[in-house]
Amino acid sequence: MNATIAARVNILFASETENAEDWIPLLERSLPRDRILLRPEAPIDVALVATPPPGTLENLRGVKLIQSLWMGVEKLLADPALPKGVPLARLVDPGMVAAMSETVLAHVLDWHRQHYAYRAQQHERRWHRHRQYLAADRTVGLLGLGELGSDAARKLLALGFNVAGWSRRPKAIEGVKCSTDLRSVASMSDALVCLLPLTSQTKDVLNASVLGKIKKGGCVINLARGGHLVDGELIAALDSGHLAHAYLDVFEPEPLPADNALWRHPKVTLTPHAAALTDARTAVPRIVENIERLRSGRPLLNVVDVERGY
Amino acid sequence: MNATIAARVNILFASETENAEDWIPLLERSLPRDRILLRPEAPIDVALVATPPPGTLENLRGVKLIQSLWMGVEKLLADPALPKGVPLARLVDPGMVAAMSETVLAHVLDWHRQHYAYRAQQHERRWHRHRQYLAADRTVGLLGLGELGSDAARKLLALGFNVAGWSRRPKAIEGVKCSTDLRSVASMSDALVCLLPLTSQTKDVLNASVLGKIKKGGCVINLARGGHLVDGELIAALDSGHLAHAYLDVFEPEPLPADNALWRHPKVTLTPHAAALTDARTAVPRIVENIERLRSGRPLLNVVDVERGY
């Protein structure tokens, strides 16, 4: 690879969703030798992509690296125009990882401190205090123990919560009850948080069987992808009184259509896929690291395993 | 003191608000030599009080210790029946301290992640994503740097927030910009959190002048006492658009009357004085520690300075 990369790299920025003005000045400052292009007006070495404009992927056959600007790459992998054989890297942005943990804590604490219930009471101007639980009385189950799950686990443990975690492959994280048995993790959990990549194996993972194993009065927090959740089975688990609340950030499709029942469900708190956004300030150093690795022929970081799907 | 205390201590439990069934079994298990009484049917050595029934304080002139079951003691101090010269101890319950930090984090994160705004959008079924900030972009100001403030500071710092803190006497907490100048702390803060004891010096501390110094788009979180806040001046700061949101747990009087405008203000989130409750499981060991100190004549913990007011 070393021999094929010129000292000066042409970098295409191709995104219909990310703001070029947030990225280009930081990229130019960090990569002064290279050229950052908004259109493929020269042979491209590296493409930075997130929802690339139609026709972009078709023209990336000769590039050395496609670097996603997001952590989730299931849409790129599903696109038949994605060139085979070109390394595709996920973005592991420390700012985005921290943002995701903030959102996990915000929702876990909203449920744990019963703020969802107090908001409903405020609407009725009703002053009524509920029994308080200690963090040590609660178990938070994390689905996914990669970069996101392990950071959230550490921060939940620091607040005194018990933490259980599910991953496809066996993992060991200090203080976390790690398991590869999804049902056993769900049945230990008061709050179940989905942070998984969307693959054929994780689609519909939040279904009636798993939701029914969460402890009564618990909650579900889906911050991963809409495809992880079977909406109708969640609504049934909320309406039966088994689950107290759901916090949903992701939907299928997005934006969530205005006539979808989730918008108005009294036990659902919705956010518009805003749980954790890439921040160019923390992401650019990671992208620069991969470009410097490419330039010097060292192994690239966070290359996607196409078979595995992430 | 040693000589005046028998090996067996008579302990009166006197509270109209705390559930005796939560406390008595734990107290009896931890103090097997002593007698726990619900009525003063024998000479009392120690009184455990939180909103004691009328007439209780008048009969405590001879006791060796009045141990509050709460951290805040301003109501006991204001009661003319509180016997002079009897040591009054505040309760520093580690479970209550942890609960308060959970509530601080829940509200700071609700504001920081703009969940209050997303809830309003959900009501309108509007899908619109706001700009994301990193924790490092925000400063949380803490009013009060005692047991509560220092625990909250440590947990906010661990999430990457900048933390400033105000206290009456100079303090030094690693990583916290400590100051005795209230206006300077307010003007550094995006979110201002009140954790102060209520004294003649801290009454009305959250007034137009201080609220106006908080950064535009910021929030106020009052978890201390209703008397700290000038309600009308907060409403003006919210209505002018200077502050984005307020999180209020405490009011004057409580319960907050149903006709109070705060119940229905769209920029106010209310909870019914539930930010942090004493938990008998974590509190009893601290009460036992003070009783054993009394029994063996050692200095008592957390004795209130009546002049200072806490």
PDB file of all heavy atoms in Angstrom, chain A residues 75 224-227 249-257 271-274, chain B residues 127 129:
ATOM      1  N   LYS A  75     -25.883   1.086   6.331  1.00  0.00           N
ATOM      2  CA  LYS A  75     -26.457   1.605   5.075  1.00  0.00           C
ATOM      3  C   LYS A  75     -25.422   1.550   3.955  1.00  0.00           C
ATOM      4  O   LYS A  75     -25.756   1.232   2.819  1.00  0.00           O
ATOM      5  CB  LYS A  75     -26.955   3.045   5.277  1.00  0.00           C
ATOM      6  CG  LYS A  75     -28.308   3.073   5.959  1.00  0.00           C
ATOM      7  CD  LYS A  75     -29.112   4.318   5.602  1.00  0.00           C
ATOM      8  CE  LYS A  75     -30.434   4.311   6.355  1.00  0.00           C
ATOM      9  NZ  LYS A  75     -30.577   5.489   7.235  1.00  0.00           N
ATOM     10  N   ALA A 224     -29.619   2.585  19.159  1.00  0.00           N
ATOM     11  CA  ALA A 224     -28.788   1.982  18.121  1.00  0.00           C
ATOM     12  C   ALA A 224     -29.407   2.195  16.733  1.00  0.00           C
ATOM     13  O   ALA A 224     -29.059   3.155  16.037  1.00  0.00           O
ATOM     14  CB  ALA A 224     -28.565   0.513  18.449  1.00  0.00           C
ATOM     15  N   ARG A 225     -30.333   1.332  16.358  1.00  0.00           N
ATOM     16  CA  ARG A 225     -31.013   1.484  15.075  1.00  0.00           C
ATOM     17  C   ARG A 225     -32.467   1.059  15.243  1.00  0.00           C
ATOM     18  O   ARG A 225     -32.769   0.167  16.050  1.00  0.00           O
ATOM     19  CB  ARG A 225     -30.355   0.615  13.995  1.00  0.00           C
ATOM     20  CG  ARG A 225     -29.001   1.114  13.503  1.00  0.00           C
ATOM     21  CD  ARG A 225     -29.118   2.415  12.709  1.00  0.00           C
ATOM     22  NE  ARG A 225     -27.824   2.887  12.211  1.00  0.00           N
ATOM     23  CZ  ARG A 225     -27.069   3.816  12.815  1.00  0.00           C
ATOM     24  NH1 ARG A 225     -27.464   4.367  13.955  1.00  0.00           N
ATOM     25  NH2 ARG A 225     -25.928   4.204  12.262  1.00  0.00           N
ATOM     26  N   GLY A 226     -33.352   1.672  14.464  1.00  0.00           N
ATOM     27  CA  GLY A 226     -34.770   1.328  14.533  1.00  0.00           C
ATOM     28  C   GLY A 226     -35.020  -0.150  14.281  1.00  0.00           C
ATOM     29  O   GLY A 226     -35.927  -0.746  14.879  1.00  0.00           O
ATOM     30  N   GLY A 227     -34.204  -0.752  13.414  1.00  0.00           N
ATOM     31  CA  GLY A 227     -34.379  -2.159  13.056  1.00  0.00           C
ATOM     32  C   GLY A 227     -34.165  -3.131  14.214  1.00  0.00           C
ATOM     33  O   GLY A 227     -34.523  -4.298  14.112  1.00  0.00           O
ATOM     34  N   ASP A 249     -34.560   6.610  20.283  1.00  0.00           N
ATOM     35  CA  ASP A 249     -33.882   7.653  19.506  1.00  0.00           C
ATOM     36  C   ASP A 249     -33.867   7.320  18.019  1.00  0.00           C
ATOM     37  O   ASP A 249     -33.599   8.194  17.211  1.00  0.00           O
ATOM     38  CB  ASP A 249     -32.438   7.795  20.017  1.00  0.00           C
ATOM     39  CG  ASP A 249     -31.698   8.955  19.361  1.00  0.00           C
ATOM     40  OD1 ASP A 249     -32.220  10.092  19.439  1.00  0.00           O
ATOM     41  OD2 ASP A 249     -30.628   8.734  18.765  1.00  0.00           O
ATOM     42  N   VAL A 250     -34.123   6.055  17.691  1.00  0.00           N
ATOM     43  CA  VAL A 250     -33.917   5.585  16.317  1.00  0.00           C
ATOM     44  C   VAL A 250     -35.154   4.840  15.850  1.00  0.00           C
ATOM     45  O   VAL A 250     -35.837   4.178  16.636  1.00  0.00           O
ATOM     46  CB  VAL A 250     -32.672   4.663  16.261  1.00  0.00           C
ATOM     47  CG1 VAL A 250     -31.398   5.488  16.316  1.00  0.00           C
ATOM     48  CG2 VAL A 250     -32.695   3.628  17.377  1.00  0.00           C
ATOM     49  N   PHE A 251     -35.448   4.956  14.543  1.00  0.00           N
ATOM     50  CA  PHE A 251     -36.702   4.459  14.000  1.00  0.00           C
ATOM     51  C   PHE A 251     -36.479   3.933  12.594  1.00  0.00           C
ATOM     52  O   PHE A 251     -35.457   4.209  11.975  1.00  0.00           O
ATOM     53  CB  PHE A 251     -37.748   5.596  13.987  1.00  0.00           C
ATOM     54  CG  PHE A 251     -37.878   6.213  15.351  1.00  0.00           C
ATOM     55  CD1 PHE A 251     -37.080   7.297  15.719  1.00  0.00           C
ATOM     56  CD2 PHE A 251     -38.721   5.655  16.296  1.00  0.00           C
ATOM     57  CE1 PHE A 251     -37.143   7.821  17.003  1.00  0.00           C
ATOM     58  CE2 PHE A 251     -38.786   6.182  17.585  1.00  0.00           C
ATOM     59  CZ  PHE A 251     -37.999   7.263  17.932  1.00  0.00           C
ATOM     60  N   GLU A 252     -37.456   3.199  12.140  1.00  0.00           N
ATOM     61  CA  GLU A 252     -37.431   2.675  10.778  1.00  0.00           C
ATOM     62  C   GLU A 252     -38.801   2.927  10.194  1.00  0.00           C
ATOM     63  O   GLU A 252     -39.748   2.280  10.637  1.00  0.00           O
ATOM     64  CB  GLU A 252     -37.089   1.174  10.813  1.00  0.00           C
ATOM     65  CG  GLU A 252     -36.793   0.537   9.488  1.00  0.00           C
ATOM     66  CD  GLU A 252     -35.704   1.218   8.703  1.00  0.00           C
ATOM     67  OE1 GLU A 252     -34.591   1.362   9.229  1.00  0.00           O
ATOM     68  OE2 GLU A 252     -35.988   1.610   7.562  1.00  0.00           O
ATOM     69  N   PRO A 253     -38.979   3.920   9.250  1.00  0.00           N
ATOM     70  CA  PRO A 253     -37.944   4.801   8.702  1.00  0.00           C
ATOM     71  C   PRO A 253     -37.756   6.041   9.559  1.00  0.00           C
ATOM     72  O   PRO A 253     -38.507   6.279  10.503  1.00  0.00           O
ATOM     73  CB  PRO A 253     -38.546   5.190   7.352  1.00  0.00           C
ATOM     74  CG  PRO A 253     -40.029   5.247   7.626  1.00  0.00           C
ATOM     75  CD  PRO A 253     -40.298   4.172   8.649  1.00  0.00           C
ATOM     76  N   GLU A 254     -36.758   6.841   9.202  1.00  0.00           N
ATOM     77  CA  GLU A 254     -36.531   8.158   9.795  1.00  0.00           C
ATOM     78  C   GLU A 254     -36.614   9.202   8.689  1.00  0.00           C
ATOM     79  O   GLU A 254     -36.138   8.942   7.588  1.00  0.00           O
ATOM     80  CB  GLU A 254     -35.139   8.211  10.444  1.00  0.00           C
ATOM     81  CG  GLU A 254     -35.063   7.355  11.689  1.00  0.00           C
ATOM     82  CD  GLU A 254     -33.667   7.322  12.311  1.00  0.00           C
ATOM     83  OE1 GLU A 254     -32.770   8.018  11.811  1.00  0.00           O
ATOM     84  OE2 GLU A 254     -33.490   6.591  13.288  1.00  0.00           O
ATOM     85  N   PRO A 255     -37.157  10.415   8.988  1.00  0.00           N
ATOM     86  CA  PRO A 255     -37.886  10.761  10.222  1.00  0.00           C
ATOM     87  C   PRO A 255     -39.089   9.842  10.446  1.00  0.00           C
ATOM     88  O   PRO A 255     -39.682   9.365   9.485  1.00  0.00           O
ATOM     89  CB  PRO A 255     -38.360  12.197   9.968  1.00  0.00           C
ATOM     90  CG  PRO A 255     -37.579  12.709   8.807  1.00  0.00           C
ATOM     91  CD  PRO A 255     -37.148  11.535   8.022  1.00  0.00           C
ATOM     92  N   LEU A 256     -39.420   9.642  11.721  1.00  0.00           N
ATOM     93  CA  LEU A 256     -40.591   8.844  12.069  1.00  0.00           C
ATOM     94  C   LEU A 256     -41.840   9.541  11.522  1.00  0.00           C
ATOM     95  O   LEU A 256     -42.063  10.720  11.808  1.00  0.00           O
ATOM     96  CB  LEU A 256     -40.672   8.747  13.597  1.00  0.00           C
ATOM     97  CG  LEU A 256     -41.783   7.882  14.179  1.00  0.00           C
ATOM     98  CD1 LEU A 256     -41.570   6.413  13.847  1.00  0.00           C
ATOM     99  CD2 LEU A 256     -41.864   8.071  15.696  1.00  0.00           C
ATOM    100  N   PRO A 257     -42.661   8.836  10.714  1.00  0.00           N
ATOM    101  CA  PRO A 257     -43.859   9.487  10.147  1.00  0.00           C
ATOM    102  C   PRO A 257     -44.780  10.035  11.241  1.00  0.00           C
ATOM    103  O   PRO A 257     -44.910   9.431  12.307  1.00  0.00           O
ATOM    104  CB  PRO A 257     -44.538   8.349   9.369  1.00  0.00           C
ATOM    105  CG  PRO A 257     -43.439   7.374   9.071  1.00  0.00           C
ATOM    106  CD  PRO A 257     -42.488   7.450  10.228  1.00  0.00           C
ATOM    107  N   THR A 271     -36.585  10.931  20.769  1.00  0.00           N
ATOM    108  CA  THR A 271     -35.644  11.953  20.298  1.00  0.00           C
ATOM    109  C   THR A 271     -35.341  11.655  18.831  1.00  0.00           C
ATOM    110  O   THR A 271     -35.427  10.495  18.401  1.00  0.00           O
ATOM    111  CB  THR A 271     -34.356  11.956  21.141  1.00  0.00           C
ATOM    112  OG1 THR A 271     -33.922  10.601  21.350  1.00  0.00           O
ATOM    113  CG2 THR A 271     -34.585  12.597  22.503  1.00  0.00           C
ATOM    114  N   PRO A 272     -34.996  12.686  18.043  1.00  0.00           N
ATOM    115  CA  PRO A 272     -34.889  12.520  16.584  1.00  0.00           C
ATOM    116  C   PRO A 272     -33.492  12.055  16.145  1.00  0.00           C
ATOM    117  O   PRO A 272     -32.783  12.790  15.460  1.00  0.00           O
ATOM    118  CB  PRO A 272     -35.223  13.918  16.063  1.00  0.00           C
ATOM    119  CG  PRO A 272     -34.755  14.841  17.143  1.00  0.00           C
ATOM    120  CD  PRO A 272     -34.928  14.095  18.449  1.00  0.00           C
ATOM    121  N   HIS A 273     -33.122  10.858  16.479  1.00  0.00           N
ATOM    122  CA  HIS A 273     -31.796  10.294  16.152  1.00  0.00           C
ATOM    123  C   HIS A 273     -30.708  11.313  16.533  1.00  0.00           C
ATOM    124  O   HIS A 273     -29.890  11.721  15.692  1.00  0.00           O
ATOM    125  CB  HIS A 273     -31.692   9.901  14.673  1.00  0.00           C
ATOM    126  CG  HIS A 273     -30.581   8.911  14.430  1.00  0.00           C
ATOM    127  ND1 HIS A 273     -30.645   7.904  13.494  1.00  0.00           N
ATOM    128  CD2 HIS A 273     -29.367   8.769  15.025  1.00  0.00           C
ATOM    129  CE1 HIS A 273     -29.519   7.200  13.510  1.00  0.00           C
ATOM    130  NE2 HIS A 273     -28.728   7.711  14.428  1.00  0.00           N
ATOM    131  N   ALA A 274     -30.726  11.703  17.800  1.00  0.00           N
ATOM    132  CA  ALA A 274     -29.819  12.746  18.289  1.00  0.00           C
ATOM    133  C   ALA A 274     -29.055  12.282  19.515  1.00  0.00           C
ATOM    134  O   ALA A 274     -28.436  13.079  20.204  1.00  0.00           O
ATOM    135  CB  ALA A 274     -30.634  14.000  18.629  1.00  0.00           C
TER     136      ALA A 274
ATOM    137  N   TRP B 127     -39.898  16.401  14.026  1.00  0.00           N
ATOM    138  CA  TRP B 127     -38.574  15.762  13.940  1.00  0.00           C
ATOM    139  C   TRP B 127     -37.566  16.847  13.594  1.00  0.00           C
ATOM    140  O   TRP B 127     -37.478  17.284  12.449  1.00  0.00           O
ATOM    141  CB  TRP B 127     -38.611  14.692  12.853  1.00  0.00           C
ATOM    142  CG  TRP B 127     -37.357  13.896  12.705  1.00  0.00           C
ATOM    143  CD1 TRP B 127     -36.252  14.252  11.970  1.00  0.00           C
ATOM    144  CD2 TRP B 127     -37.072  12.605  13.259  1.00  0.00           C
ATOM    145  NE1 TRP B 127     -35.294  13.264  12.042  1.00  0.00           N
ATOM    146  CE2 TRP B 127     -35.773  12.234  12.823  1.00  0.00           C
ATOM    147  CE3 TRP B 127     -37.784  11.732  14.069  1.00  0.00           C
ATOM    148  CZ2 TRP B 127     -35.184  11.023  13.175  1.00  0.00           C
ATOM    149  CZ3 TRP B 127     -37.193  10.525  14.411  1.00  0.00           C
ATOM    150  CH2 TRP B 127     -35.907  10.186  13.977  1.00  0.00           C
ATOM    151  N   ARG B 129     -33.471  18.055  14.701  1.00  0.00           N
ATOM    152  CA  ARG B 129     -32.282  17.803  15.515  1.00  0.00           C
ATOM    153  C   ARG B 129     -31.568  19.124  15.826  1.00  0.00           C
ATOM    154  O   ARG B 129     -31.386  19.943  14.921  1.00  0.00           O
ATOM    155  CB  ARG B 129     -31.356  16.892  14.716  1.00  0.00           C
ATOM    156  CG  ARG B 129     -30.225  16.309  15.508  1.00  0.00           C
ATOM    157  CD  ARG B 129     -29.369  15.471  14.579  1.00  0.00           C
ATOM    158  NE  ARG B 129     -30.026  14.239  14.181  1.00  0.00           N
ATOM    159  CZ  ARG B 129     -29.694  13.531  13.096  1.00  0.00           C
ATOM    160  NH1 ARG B 129     -28.738  13.957  12.296  1.00  0.00           N
ATOM    161  NH2 ARG B 129     -30.329  12.418  12.815  1.00  0.00           N
TER     162      ARG B 129
END
